[in-house]
Amino acid sequence: MGIKYNEKKKIFQMNTQHTTYLIGITKEGYIGHIYYGKRLQKEGSSYLLRTEEAPYTPSVNEREKMAFLDFFPFEYPTGGIGDFRESCLDVRGENGSIGCELLFCNGYIEKGKPALIELPASFGTEEEVETLDLVCEDKVLELKVVLSYSVFEECDVITRSVRIENTGTQALKLEKVYSACLDMDNKDFEMVALTGSWARERYIRRNPVQYGKQMVSSARGESSHQEHPFLALVTPNTTQETGEVYAMNFVYSGNFIAQAELNQFGQIRMAMGIHSDYFCWNLKAGESFQAPEVVLTYSAEGLGKMTRQFHDFYRNHLIRSPYQYKKRPILINNWEATYFDFNSDKLLAIAKEAKKAGIEMLVMDDGWFGKRNFDDNSLGDWTVNEEKITSGLLDLVTKVKELGMEFGIWFEPEMVSPDSDLYRKHPDWAIQIPGRRPTMCRMQYVLDLSKPEVVEYAYQCVADILRSAPISYVKWDMNRQLSDIGSSYLGKDSQGELMHRYVLGLYQMQERLVTEFPNLLLENCSGGGARFDAGMLYYSPQIWCSDDTDAIERLRIQEGTALIYPLATMGAHISDCPNHIVGRNTPFETRGHVALAGTFGYELDITKISDKERQMIPEQVEMCHKYQSLMQRGDYYRLASWTEKKPYDCWEVAAKDKTEALVTFVQVLAEPNIHSRVIYLRGLEEDAEYQLEGTEESYTGEELMRCGYLIPSPLSPDKRGDFQSCLYHFLKK
Ligand code: DGJ
């Protein structure tokens, strides 16, 4: 299997199919990072730890220990004793000082991978994964730290997490606990990150790594619209197919930091973990703290390979939902159709028309509960508004089911409106600082999920509704970020635990939900795509990608999201035009092609759109049925990117057995006086012959991949102008 220990050399070697990760233990017990990269065919050695380089040789000369600490490539650096780069662990002892030095005690290798207590984490069988636990300790603090590495050989993925145990008698405070670190020599790295805003989530951003620290982070209580818990360091000129990529992604949905630091000696420290802002965890005698998991992957063949490694890994080792590879219902959601202005009749009218067109599920969005006709009230009062849902929820669900459709419902369980019975009864259940009026956002406050009673209440509200009617789908929304970080439940010394305890409370609720309702299709959402992260994928196989449903905006958002996450995880709908966010008009067909790269659904009033568009829906539904399985299982290749100043966008999904490939081409802006464009396909069998469906054209795989396929311009005589798109389906003969 993948992990070996060479006792003589004191080296742990972790091999995956194409990568090797080497950890060396020095004579004194420092745990050093030797190498991560392309697989070594032989055993590695430890010269890269440079322990013999002046001015300090640990076992010989104590005089310049600081010079050593500030240079040594640590697997898990600690703060306060002389490594002045970013630390991963800061512990405050009972005497009030911060200082921690970890020395190696033991290493254990076992088959399989234990679950992480209270946290989402990847999983695998004993045949698929092997785990190395490096146990180290700080004798002064009587602190035990377990660094865990799980090696998924087939996937070229290593996951890392850390457990901290207080084995002594002091009351310790953890002021920073990161989950992973990579100390490497700089290779003129560039940093690839995903940044954005509401309606502009996860744009790909690439910058050279400068001297000092650069990071992406969130201290907003969620992974956020703005920055994403992902970081890749790439060698210069890395493309989809060439160049080295070191990537980290966090399986966590709260505050995070992902940082690259270039130091005085040209070394890079790449680190990821829970953000230390607003964080301080009490670790009393006998207690332990589990830090969330980081997924680490390396590609020597560019960003495209990294992407496919993440996709396969998440599909097979993180997403647990029974819907993972199952056909997902094509839904119609009433949000952009009606906003808050709906009742049972309107919903049933939409459902009837939708059913005729082949749509399979109606989702009732925000506004069905309390007295909610606008966003300024009723969150927390999860009772059906019978003025709108006139004969009750069960009746509505039954009628929708009688039409032959499934029913889905929206919740925002983590929130409370100041104008709600819940807030009037329990004002102390909202996160707030005593004596300070909490900052309002979308006219709502956040419930204090560190408090078990609140978690219980919020969970039962959702579960009671689901118990009351046969509901197949839940959209779990979260429409504001956390501020005024104060809890009436936690004592004054524990306020620094609130942000993490909030996330644990959220995970607890979702775990209960998917356990009590194992067949429920859960879609997470946060004001669009602010909580699209690997942590949430553990509970829900799909996440609403963005409130921006414009097909052209979505190209960029979905390109960034698909850099890490499988296509079938991206909530994507066809909405009405002019688009509600940007006012753009795009062809109905293009909207369908772009949504096909995600979960595929509708978000419009089907009773009001033009006959021409309505008549196109059955064809689109058929298209979705035809390709959904390929999109869920296939290999994704980014062939061209509109964001790289091309006037077009293009991606391909190739079947793993290379029997078919679907290419989506979007002509974003029409260009005058140009010839056809060459697109180089990927993932085909070189010697096989492929026929372009619907034509007599046939090419060898080699031709399509090396010589390329010619995309006409305009795409066809009837597809002139901006925002036109086409699908090309190649089938092996
Ligand atoms: C934000 C979501 O992203 C929307 O789709 C919609 O559900 C609204 N919230 C409802 O308030």
Side-chain angles (χ1 to χ4, degrees), residues 335 365-366 410 442 475 477 479 525 527-528 544 547 603:
W335 179 243
D365 211 280
D366 192 356
W410 177 97
R442 210 197 193 209
K475 177 174 172 189
D477 204 349
N479 281 302
C525 169
W544 185 228
D547 274 349
E603 178 124 3

Side-chain angles (χ1 to χ4, degrees), residues 47 84 171 195-196 220 225 234 255 276 300 346 428 457 468 480 669 675 707:
Y47 62 92
F84 296 100
T195 61
R220 298 164 183 267
H225 301 278
V234 303
N255 293 350
S276 57
K346 239 189 208 179
D428 59 317
Y457 171 85
S468 75
R480 65 156 289 175
L669 291 179
H675 289 274
C707 314

Side-chain angles (χ1 to χ4, degrees), residues 33-149:
H33 179 74
I34 302 176
Y35 172 79
Y36 184 32
K38 216 169 171 170
R39 181 167 173 156
L40 302 180
Q41 295 316 317
K42 302 241 162 68
E43 271 193 2
S45 49
S46 59
Y47 62 92
L48 280 169
L49 294 182
R50 296 166 162 123
T51 45
E52 305 305 323
E53 285 182 23
Y56 168 72
T57 316
S59 50
V60 181
N61 163 14
E62 259 283 310
R63 191 184 135 83
E64 297 294 347
K65 178 172 171 182
M66 187 180 282
F68 167 78
L69 293 177
D70 208 18
F71 174 76
F72 186 70
F74 281 102
E75 268 303 309
Y76 195 65
T78 53
I81 53 153
D83 177 353
F84 296 100
R85 294 164 288 177
E86 182 80 13
S87 61
C88 283
L89 179 67
D90 286 348
V91 187
R92 197 177 287 280
E94 219 163 43
N95 59 20
S97 60
I98 290 188
C100 176
E101 182 172 39
L102 294 178
L103 296 176
F104 176 74
C105 305
N106 274 309
Y108 300 96
I109 300 170
E110 61 171 340
K111 286 194 167 164
K113 178 175 189 284
L116 298 190
I117 299 159
E118 297 182 297
L119 285 167
S122 59
F123 49 81
T125 63
E126 293 196 349
E127 286 69 48
E128 291 167 333
V129 55
E130 199 174 14
T131 297
L132 165 68
D133 276 353
L134 296 180
V135 181
C136 39
E137 65 173 350
D138 179 303
K139 286 217 157 68
V140 178
L141 294 170
E142 295 178 289
L143 189 75
K144 181 171 146 190
V145 174
V146 184
L147 309 179
S148 296
Y149 301 76

Side-chain angles (χ1 to χ4, degrees), residues 211-245:
Y211 188 87
K213 296 176 180 179
Q214 40 255 272
M215 65 170 124
V216 280
S217 70
S218 164
R220 298 164 183 267
E222 60 175 359
S223 40
S224 89
H225 301 278
Q226 288 75 10
E227 296 174 34
H228 196 72
F230 162 80
L231 180 65
L233 295 182
V234 303
T235 47
N237 306 317
T238 288
T239 64
Q240 282 295 310
E241 295 184 5
T242 60
E244 286 189 273
V245 182

Side-chain angles (χ1 to χ4, degrees), residues 306-510:
M306 173 207 76
T307 294
R308 289 182 290 282
Q309 283 167 193
F310 274 123
H311 286 195
D312 284 341
F313 183 66
Y314 289 151
R315 291 192 280 213
N316 299 320
H317 299 289
L318 183 70
I319 301 170
R320 300 173 297 171
S321 165
Y323 284 93
Q324 163 69 338
Y325 289 120
K326 240 171 71 178
K327 208 198 98 39
R328 313 264 174 96
I330 299 176
L331 63 82
I332 185 157
N333 176 303
N334 75 305
W335 179 243
E336 286 195 25
T338 65
Y339 295 102
F340 294 103
D341 181 19
F342 64 88
N343 56 24
S344 314
D345 290 346
K346 239 189 208 179
L347 292 176
L348 283 169
I350 291 177
K352 273 180 201 143
E353 206 57 58
K355 173 65 191 171
K356 278 193 234 157
I359 296 172
E360 298 155 320
M361 179 159 74
L362 174 78
V363 175
M364 176 170 72
D365 211 280
D366 192 356
W368 55 266
F369 54 93
K371 55 181 175 78
R372 192 154 164 105
N373 288 310
F374 194 56
D375 64 8
D376 61 356
N377 66 80
S378 297
L379 291 171
D381 300 343
W382 298 103
T383 45
V384 177
N385 178 344
E386 297 206 350
E387 277 170 32
K388 290 167 102 172
I389 311 304
T390 35
S391 10
L393 185 63
L394 180 59
D395 182 69
L396 175 64
V397 178
T398 308
K399 286 188 174 131
V400 170
K401 291 201 75 113
E402 277 165 9
L403 289 173
M405 293 176 85
E406 298 296 308
F407 188 89
I409 194 165
W410 177 97
F411 285 99
E412 195 177 2
E414 302 156 64
M415 299 290 150
V416 61
S417 306
D419 180 6
S420 66
D421 293 342
L422 181 66
Y423 189 72
R424 280 182 282 274
K425 194 163 164 209
H426 295 291
D428 59 317
W429 281 17
I431 290 179
Q432 55 194 302
I433 299 170
R436 189 179 288 283
R437 194 149 181 252
T439 303
M440 198 70 81
C441 179
R442 210 197 193 209
M443 281 304 283
Q444 63 196 56
Y445 298 142
V446 186
L447 285 173
D448 180 358
L449 300 188
S450 72
K451 193 173 171 133
E453 206 184 338
V454 176
V455 171
E456 183 61 26
Y457 171 85
Y459 176 73
Q460 291 304 344
C461 288
V462 178
D464 280 347
I465 292 286
L466 297 186
R467 289 176 198 130
S468 75
I471 294 171
S472 313
Y473 160 107
V474 162
K475 177 174 172 189
W476 181 303
D477 204 349
M478 190 245 195
N479 281 302
R480 65 156 289 175
Q481 304 179 328
L482 276 60
S483 66
D484 307 272
I485 305 307
S487 161
S488 62
Y489 172 71
L490 299 169
K492 72 174 162 48
D493 291 333
S494 306
Q495 295 294 319
E497 298 178 10
L498 176 55
M499 300 284 258
H500 181 57
R501 285 195 185 277
Y502 179 88
V503 180
L504 295 181
L506 164 71
Y507 288 155
Q508 202 193 100
M509 283 200 280
Q510 296 214 345

